């Protein structure tokens, strides 16, 4: 089984409470991806979670340390700036290791990477996720846009399997509904395994000596509906994606 590092899936919420003439603010911290982590651990994988705000302090600064930490890296709902703009670089102009470059090298040398959709992956809301302008974008099996790429589908769309592959073998031909995704285009030579409407949902491909995959919707709310999270194919789907990315599963 694989060692999986989930990066992202965390956020801070600042709220303004207006009560007549008076107002006050509250703040809270939240983490997502519990269903994903539980599914992979239930399938036997070793999963660690690096919340978005911990990237600066916890992400390895040496390539060998990254390889010692994970076989598969999952980037979910966290933008490129969180990797590229450390406090030292942003505030004091200090030269720092290129964390995205390290992930790119990790994959090129035989590692696996999965990018999962959200408001801060691929291009994201207002294009702020900014992954198209990184070295990792060239290894993904999809082309990332440079403008807001969200597709909101409040009426829901039921994904459909369109490609033969060990990842989707024996899964339902139609999956429970999703409420949105990031719009991408599959690269030439990649394999589109599932679509949501006319858009690629699950695309896989090789990247140097490694493997890369894109799942363009959420692995947890809000785009992932309760029905999708409770679907009996949820665990097999992400278990197989991880096993394929780690080289344990063939096409």
């Amino acid at each position: 089984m694989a060692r999986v590092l989930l990066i992202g899936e965390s956020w801070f919420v600042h709220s303004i409470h207006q009560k007549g003439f008076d107002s006050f603010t509250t703040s809270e911290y939240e983490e997502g991806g519990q269903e994903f982590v539980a599914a992979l651990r239930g399938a036997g994988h070793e999963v660690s979670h690096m919340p978005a705000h911990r990237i600066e302090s916890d992400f390895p600064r040496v390539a060998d340390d990254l390889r010692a930490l994970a076989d598969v890296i999952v980037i979910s709902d966290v933008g490129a700036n969180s990797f590229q703009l450390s406090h030292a670089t942003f505030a004091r102009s200090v030269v720092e290791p290129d964390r995205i470059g390290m992930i790119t090298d990790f994959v090129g040398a035989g590692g696996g990477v999965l990018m999962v959709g959200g408001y801060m992956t691929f291009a994201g809301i207002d294009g702020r996720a900014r992954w198209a302008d990184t070295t990792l974008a060239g290894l993904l099996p999809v082309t990332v846009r440079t403008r807001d790429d969200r597709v909101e589908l409040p009426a829901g769309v039921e994904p459909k399997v369109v490609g033969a592959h060990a990842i989707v073998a024996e899964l339902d031909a139609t999956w429970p509904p999703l409420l949105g995704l990031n719009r991408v285009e599959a690269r030439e030579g990649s394999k589109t395994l599932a679509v949501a409407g006319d858009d690629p949902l699950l695309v896989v491909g090789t990247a140097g000596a490694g493997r890369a995959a894109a799942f363009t919707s959420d692995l947890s709310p809000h785009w992932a509906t309760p029905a999708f999270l409770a679907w009996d194919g949820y665990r097999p789907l992400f278990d197989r994606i991880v096993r394929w990315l780690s080289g344990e599963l063939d096409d």
Side-chain angles (χ1 to χ4, degrees), residues 9 11 32-33 35 75-78 115-127 129 147-159 175-184 196 199-201 214-231 234 238:
E9 283 298 324
W11 57 92
E35 301 88 353
I75 300 169
S76 183
D77 213 3
V78 59
M115 182 167 285
V116 177
Y119 272 36
M120 277 295 165
T121 27
F122 298 103
I125 187 168
D126 299 331
R147 62 184 186 277
D148 195 318
D149 61 353
R150 293 169 303 129
V151 180
E152 302 289 352
L153 302 165
V157 60
E158 294 184 337
W175 303 347
L178 297 167
L179 298 177
L181 49 78
N182 298 88
R183 177 160 284 158
V184 299
D199 288 296
L201 174 66
F215 182 81
T216 60
S217 190
D218 263 331
L219 50 74
S220 59
H222 83 276
W223 283 341
T225 62
F228 184 80
L229 297 175
W231 172 45
Y234 182 92
F238 287 108

Side-chain angles (χ1 to χ4, degrees), residues 11-24:
W11 57 92
F12 292 88
V13 178
H14 303 285
S15 301
I16 299 175
H17 303 252
Q18 185 73 40
K19 299 190 175 185
F21 180 84
D22 299 299
S23 67
F24 62 92

Side-chain angles (χ1 to χ4, degrees), residues 142 157-165 167-169 171-176 178 181-182 184-186 190-204 213-217 228 231 237-238 241:
V142 297
V157 60
E158 294 184 337
K160 298 184 184 303
V161 174
V162 295
H165 196 280
I167 291 176
V168 293
L171 291 181
D172 299 333
T174 300
W175 303 347
L178 297 167
L181 49 78
N182 298 88
V184 299
E185 294 181 5
S190 66
K191 297 180 181 179
T192 301
L193 307 185
V195 297
D198 295 328
D199 288 296
L201 174 66
L202 175 57
V203 186
V204 300
F215 182 81
T216 60
S217 190
F228 184 80
W231 172 45
L237 172 63
F238 287 108
I241 291 174

Side-chain angles (χ1 to χ4, degrees), residues 91-107:
R92 304 195 304 275
S93 301
V94 174
V95 175
E96 289 260 287
D98 181 352
R99 294 172 174 87
I100 294 178
M102 287 174 58
I103 297 175
T104 304
D105 293 342
F106 166 85
V107 177

